[in-house]
């Protein structure tokens, strides 16, 4: 039995960052992982998708370069080499995690970690180990959800895990689910010339986000040739001679009561199922060692503590906001709680980002949400059309909307759809955390010419 202060199960951005935080605080730490280091984010999520999206962005840019006086000849995209580059990026970052673990003296164990008793974890992999610690942190993440749909197990009906390994060209891609994964893959494949269709059950794309953002995105995707069906429920998927056919019922007027429904069919070479993710807990608990759970997710308190003494859980396995940066923050906070450190990362404001072209990013409340919460709120929208950097780079237009308390001018939230929105949202997150007003935000100099100076326009009014 090897003795530790903390055993972390799962080496995604929640688990490995928590392990590093623990090591920095002097805790003897073990990190258990059954697959590749980096979890979903690095191996099957954030990093590989953004690597491919970056390549697709370069392709679009090169194809449009003559408008800037640069002639590059015929531009072609090679999916196999795009994959290779993506794999190199993943490999490099994975090696970085391994090197950091070594430097911080975090012991890595390769295998399935199972909680077998109070503070006990059994590792079964190429070798087996029994570990013991005062604290155990569960950070086992999530996997793509499957829908119980006739035909959903046909070859060619895939999740984001398999699509990220695709090295060939796809002629027609149909995506079930117009959430974050759905719209990012739609943008990627539409840029590469694939005929893309999205079938979304709710009345709008990105149902969890502001209506105005969803509407703007719908216009952009439609302009790029993506076929969109909202208020659409898939009935079944059929296959004949390697062609898949998706059969779905669509409300003629999505979101309106009593509207007619029509049954449509759409052919595709691949069908991506992107309807959310489910927590991973298979093999995680020996009999009698399972903490309180609800619909597959581990229940935790505000410090990440489960119902088992000394056992914490963070990230996707706890449900809620399934984002890498949220898992990292929750992991660090859980370790600080174990270590008796008072300081916490502020998790009240969690930025959410969608890597479309242009990018989408939001934090805090929308105007509708603020009003629904009974706050006397107002908002201001600044289009990017007058922003110098936007014009000179030929970026898609877009906008920044800020939501604030009428009386005090206190910032309540921001929604952005513009170039570099995913970087700029950090400024609004910081301002929300600090409780800044519009006037506070307008009091600093932002450099010119930048996309970020549009923030000054938005908050100055
Ligand atoms: P999601 O919850 O964002 O979207 C799923 C979509 O599928 C929803 O719009 C839902 O209405 C729709 N849907 C569900 N059942 C359906 C059905 N039967 N037919 C048609 N539509 C249906 O989930 P996702 O896009 O799969 O992403 C999973 C998780 O990964 C999310 O928590 C997301 O935040 C995270 N993620 C984040 C990023 C990012 O931050 N950029 C990128 C990818 C994924």
């Amino acid at each position: 039995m090897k003795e530790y202060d903390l055993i972390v199960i799962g080496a995604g951005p929640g688990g490995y960052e928590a392990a590093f935080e623990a090591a920095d605080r002097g805790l003897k730490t073990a990190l258990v992982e059954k697959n590749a280091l980096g979890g979903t984010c690095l191996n099957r999520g954030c990093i590989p998708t953004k690597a491919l999206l970056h390549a697709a962005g370069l392709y679009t840019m090169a194809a449009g370069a003559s408008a800037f006086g640069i002639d590059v000849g015929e531009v072609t995209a090679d999916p196999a080499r795009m994959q290779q580059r993506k794999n190199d990026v993943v490999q490099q970052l994975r090696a970085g995690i391994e090197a950091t673990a070594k430097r911080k003296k975090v012991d890595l164990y390769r295998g399935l970690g199972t909680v077998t008793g109070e503070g006990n974890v059994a590792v079964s992999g190429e070798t087996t180990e029994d570990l013991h610690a005062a604290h155990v942190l569960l950070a086992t993440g999530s996997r793509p959800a499957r829908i119980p749909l006739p035909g959903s197990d046909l070859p060619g009906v895939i999740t984001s895990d398999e699509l990220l390994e695709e090295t060939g060209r796809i002629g027609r891609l149909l995506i079930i689910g117009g959430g974050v994964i759905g719209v990012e893959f739609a943008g990627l494949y539409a840029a590469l010339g694939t005929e893309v269709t999205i079938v979304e059950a709710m009345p709008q794309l990105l149902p969890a986000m502001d209506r105005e953002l969803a509407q703007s995105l719908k216009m952009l995707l439609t302009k790029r040739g993506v076929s969109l069906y909202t208020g659409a429920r898939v009935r079944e998927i059929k296959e004949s001679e390697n062609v898949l056919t998706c059969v779905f019922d669509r409300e003629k007027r999505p979101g309106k009561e009593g509207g007619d429904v029509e049954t449509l069919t759409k052919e595709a070479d691949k069908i991506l199922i992107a309807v959310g993710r489910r927590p991973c807990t298979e093999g995680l608990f020996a009999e009698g060692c399972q903490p309180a759970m609800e619909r597959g997710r581990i229940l935790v308190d505000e410090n990440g503590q489960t119902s088992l003494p000394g056992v914490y859980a963070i990230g996707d396995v706890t449900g809620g906001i399934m984002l890498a940066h949220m898992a990292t923050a929750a992991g660090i906070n859980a370790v600080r709680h174990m270590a008796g450190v008072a300081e916490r990362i502020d998790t009240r404001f969690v930025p959410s980002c969608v890597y479309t072209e242009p990018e989408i990013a939001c934090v805090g409340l929308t105007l509708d949400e603020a009003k629904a919460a009974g706050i006397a709120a107002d908002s201001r929208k600044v289009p990017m059309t007058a922003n110098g950097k936007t014009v000179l780079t030929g970026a898609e237009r877009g906008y920044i909307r800020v939501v604030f308390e009428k009386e005090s001018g206190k910032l309540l939230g921001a929604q952005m759809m513009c170039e570099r929105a995913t970087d700029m949202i950090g400024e609004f997150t910081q301002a929300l955390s600090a409780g800044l007003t519009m006037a506070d935000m307008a009091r600093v100099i932002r450099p010119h010419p930048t996309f970020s100076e549009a923030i000054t326009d938005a908050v100055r009014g």
Side-chain angles (χ1 to χ4, degrees):
M1 179 84 73
K2 292 197 176 139
E3 197 60 40
Y4 286 93
D5 296 315
L6 170 64
I7 303 163
V8 179
I9 305 181
Y16 71 74
E17 291 284 5
F20 297 163
E21 171 79 11
D24 289 345
R25 295 196 179 273
L27 303 185
K28 188 168 161 35
T29 306
L31 179 58
V32 184
E33 172 58 59
K34 63 178 175 153
N35 292 323
L37 293 180
T40 298
C41 167
L42 178 50
N43 299 289
R44 298 172 298 282
C46 322
I47 299 295
T49 49
K50 280 32 151 196
L52 292 173
L53 279 163
H54 183 72
L58 285 177
Y59 174 73
T60 307
M61 204 184 277
S66 71
F68 295 79
I70 311 290
D71 293 317
V72 291
E74 194 196 349
V75 182
T76 55
D78 179 346
R81 277 166 50 225
M82 285 170 65
Q83 275 289 334
Q84 189 49 55
R85 155 87 190 157
K86 174 214 85 178
N87 293 340
D88 291 347
V89 168
V90 170
Q91 195 53 49
Q92 183 183 334
L93 292 172
R94 236 187 246 155
I97 297 170
E98 187 151 9
T100 307
K102 202 167 180 183
R103 186 163 43 83
K104 292 184 184 281
K105 299 191 169 39
V106 169
D107 290 344
L108 289 178
Y109 290 90
R110 305 304 190 119
L112 174 77
T114 303
V115 178
T116 53
E118 208 171 312
N120 293 330
V121 170
V123 183
S124 45
E126 279 172 21
T127 55
T128 58
E129 293 280 358
D130 286 313
L131 313 178
H132 180 267
H135 295 109
V136 176
L137 177 68
L138 309 174
T140 50
S142 64
R143 66 163 53 89
R146 280 277 185 178
I147 31 177
L149 190 74
S152 64
D153 51 358
L154 284 167
V157 181
I158 55 178
T159 68
S160 54
D161 287 0
E162 295 88 53
L163 190 53
L164 277 172
E165 300 300 322
E166 185 63 51
T167 51
R169 287 185 188 284
I170 300 177
R172 294 166 299 177
L173 174 68
L174 185 138
I175 302 172
I176 301 179
V180 192
I181 292 182
V183 300
E184 288 187 355
F185 275 107
L188 170 61
Y189 277 92
L192 298 176
T194 296
E195 203 181 289
V196 179
T197 302
I198 299 180
V199 178
E200 162 61 46
M202 302 298 281
Q204 68 169 52
L205 293 176
L206 300 174
M209 284 196 178
D210 183 39
R211 242 181 315 145
E212 184 180 33
L213 282 174
Q215 198 57 31
S216 306
L217 179 62
K218 182 181 171 184
M219 277 161 51
L220 272 166
L221 288 176
T222 308
K223 201 170 98 188
R224 289 181 199 147
V226 176
S227 306
L228 299 173
Y229 298 93
T230 51
R233 293 244 157 229
V234 179
R235 273 204 209 173
E236 63 173 324
I237 300 168
K238 297 191 279 198
E239 190 262 353
S240 164
E241 291 173 12
N242 285 334
V243 175
L244 297 161
T245 303
C246 182
V247 184
F248 55 97
D249 294 331
R250 187 201 38 176
E251 296 165 29
K252 284 190 177 162
R253 295 166 65 226
K256 305 275 186 303
E257 293 279 313
D260 291 346
V261 173
E262 58 187 344
T263 300
L264 300 171
T265 58
K266 191 92 187 173
E267 289 187 347
D269 304 304
K270 298 264 181 201
I271 293 184
L272 169 69
I273 299 202
V275 295
R277 299 182 62 90
R278 298 283 167 270
C280 286
T281 54
E282 293 76 18
L284 187 55
F285 306 111
E287 216 179 312
C289 296
Q290 185 173 304
M293 292 177 56
E294 186 188 81
R295 283 190 285 130
R297 70 185 186 102
I298 300 174
L299 295 174
V300 290
D301 68 9
E302 69 281 7
N303 296 309
Q305 286 181 291
T306 70
S307 61
L308 299 179
V311 178
Y312 290 67
I314 54 101
D316 288 11
V317 77
T318 62
I321 302 172
M322 289 188 171
L323 294 173
H325 45 269
M326 183 61 202
T328 300
I332 289 171
N333 283 348
V335 168
R336 289 183 184 172
H337 185 258
M338 294 169 202
V341 177
E343 191 189 334
R344 295 280 183 276
I345 292 174
D346 184 354
T347 53
R348 289 172 303 160
F349 307 103
V350 185
S352 63
C353 299
V354 192
Y355 292 77
T356 42
E357 180 57 50
E359 296 176 339
I360 291 173
C362 330
V363 68
L365 300 177
T366 64
L367 185 59
D368 286 349
E369 286 168 343
K371 285 183 174 166
I375 303 170
D378 204 349
S379 80
R380 203 178 288 146
K381 180 180 175 179
V382 171
M384 296 299 277
T385 30
N387 175 260
K389 191 76 184 280
T390 300
V391 177
L392 74 90
T393 56
E396 282 284 357
R397 288 173 301 189
Y399 65 91
I400 298 177
R401 184 180 285 284
V402 286
V403 182
F404 53 91
E405 212 171 55
K406 256 188 201 159
E407 183 80 17
S408 63
K410 191 176 165 203
L411 179 71
L412 296 171
Q415 297 86 44
M416 320 168 80
M417 183 176 198
C418 59
E419 212 65 14
R420 307 278 167 88
T422 64
D423 291 308
M424 292 196 284
I425 201 69
E427 186 174 339
F428 284 111
T429 313
Q430 179 89 62
L432 283 169
S433 179
L436 300 189
T437 62
M438 297 286 103
D440 294 328
M441 289 191 76
R443 204 173 294 124
V444 293
I445 299 175
R446 291 183 183 80
H448 172 77
T450 57
F451 297 111
S452 70
E453 62 190 323
I455 294 178
T456 303
D457 299 334
V459 295
R460 200 169 48 196

